[in-house]
Amino acid sequence: EIVLTQSPGSLSLSPGERATLSCRASQNVGRNFLAWFQQKPGQAPRLLIHAATRRATGIPDKFSGSGSGTDFTLTISRLEPEDFAVYHCHQYASSPLTFGGGTQVEIK
Amino acid sequence: EVQLVESGGGLVQPGGSLRLSCAGAGSSFSTFWMGWVRQAPGKGLEWVAFIKKDGSEKYYLDSIAGRFTISRDNAERSVYLQMNTLRAEDTAVYYCVGGSGWLEDHWGQGTLVTVSS
């Protein structure tokens, strides 16, 4: 099983600032099948990034993904009020599929 | 594009059973892998099970294997999760998910399952 560790657990930032979220895998994620989801309270997760770097349909370019192998990063270039949420990384390369513990991005 | 709507959640006693249903609206349903992801209150996401487009392959989280069964009916555009021998730790919002591969790019709004006496 691939264990995903996200850091930090929470991030306190101001609107306009840049957010950098990390996701580390316990072993190589095949074909870089690593995704990022955004989740707001009471809502289902929304896909932002797949295959480590590809934005999902309709996702603005302030969201970007990078990394390969075991180390991945989600960057939000300039935080807007609607970006304050929980972000989950997820590997879909091998069963069991697994998620990281999440990073809460909070308004400072 | 597929819209997913779950039903069947509720309160059940430990050891009991529940069957979740997910109705898919959209012509792509039969081309999608379908599955379930759950989220315990205040916790992170946990993948539960997946079923291939034609139902020929199924994958399960170890902790629910033997207790939960995933199935689908493409004619009805539906996927199901039969949950038996439920435990308190199965309490969660269960999301129906789907995609052309293993990536879950379609999500329902979720249905809450509470296991408690």
Side-chain angles (χ1 to χ4, degrees), chain A residues 9 19 32 80 104 108:
Chain A
N32 291 326
E80 298 182 74
Q104 171 95 49
K108 190 173 183 179

Side-chain angles (χ1 to χ4, degrees), chain A residues 11-17 79-85 104-108:
Chain A
L11 201 51
S12 187
L13 294 168
S14 300
E17 289 193 295
L79 284 164
E80 298 182 74
E82 62 268 23
D83 300 329
F84 292 92
Q104 171 95 49
V105 179
E106 305 171 324
I107 299 178
K108 190 173 183 179

Side-chain angles (χ1 to χ4, degrees), chain A residues 35 37 39 42-45 47 50 88 90 92-101, chain B residues 37 39 43-47 50 59-62 95 102-105 107-110:
Chain A
F37 290 88
Q39 187 177 27
Q43 295 185 17
L47 178 67
H50 64 100
H88 307 272
H90 171 55
Y92 54 101
S94 62
S95 180
L97 281 63
T98 50
F99 291 87
Chain B
V37 171
Q39 187 169 35
K43 302 295 184 183
L45 300 167
E46 183 175 53
W47 172 81
F50 244 164
Y59 298 85
Y60 295 98
L61 179 68
D62 281 352
Y95 294 101
W102 281 9
L103 175 65
E104 308 92 329
D105 53 3
W107 292 65
Q109 281 306 300

Side-chain angles (χ1 to χ4, degrees), chain A residues 13-88:
Chain A
L13 294 168
S14 300
E17 289 193 295
R18 179 187 191 93
T20 303
L21 286 64
S22 173
C23 178
R24 178 161 290 177
S26 61
Q27 55 188 280
N28 188 67
V29 177
R31 294 171 289 177
N32 291 326
F33 277 3
L34 191 287
W36 291 93
F37 290 88
Q38 177 194 66
Q39 187 177 27
K40 296 179 181 179
Q43 295 185 17
R46 176 175 73 140
L47 178 67
L48 300 175
I49 301 288
H50 64 100
T53 63
R54 298 182 179 183
R55 270 186 299 277
T57 303
I59 301 302
D61 60 8
K62 63 181 173 180
F63 293 98
S64 63
S66 62
S68 65
T70 61
D71 287 293
F72 301 90
T73 300
L74 173 70
T75 302
I76 310 170
S77 58
R78 288 178 58 84
L79 284 164
E80 298 182 74
E82 62 268 23
D83 300 329
F84 292 92
V86 177
Y87 293 83
H88 307 272

